[in-house]
Amino acid sequence: NLMILHIAQNSEQLANIYAVSGKYPESLKYAYAALKIYEMQNDSFQKGNMYRAIGYTYFNQNIFSEA
């Protein structure tokens, strides 16, 4: 569904904006929301992108066990 894809893309963009701004909890909230949608869509490429973004966000917080 195209609407669901747009929601995932918007969530991904918000996650990136919050991450760059150092607002990591907000970034993770939107990153996990996008990941969930990409999982439902079976989009392996975008799932990989979201796992990377999530890992990077945890890494920047020095939470290496989650990264």
Side-chain angles (χ1 to χ4, degrees), residues 4-67:
I4 292 172
L5 181 60
H6 285 298
I7 292 169
Q9 291 170 339
N10 289 339
S11 294
E12 184 177 354
Q13 290 172 353
L14 286 169
N16 291 334
I17 290 167
Y18 281 124
V20 169
S21 302
K23 297 179 180 179
Y24 300 121
E26 292 88 351
S27 174
L28 289 170
K29 175 180 140 184
Y30 286 102
Y32 279 113
L35 176 61
K36 184 175 181 178
I37 294 169
Y38 291 137
E39 286 175 341
M40 292 183 339
Q41 299 291 314
N42 292 319
D43 189 332
S44 297
F45 181 80
Q46 288 301 88
K47 286 188 329 187
N49 281 338
M50 295 318 304
Y51 280 120
R52 178 201 47 78
I54 290 166
Y56 182 76
T57 301
Y58 281 120
F59 181 84
N60 282 337
Q61 297 177 86
N62 297 320
I63 305 174
F64 303 116
S65 63
E66 296 295 321

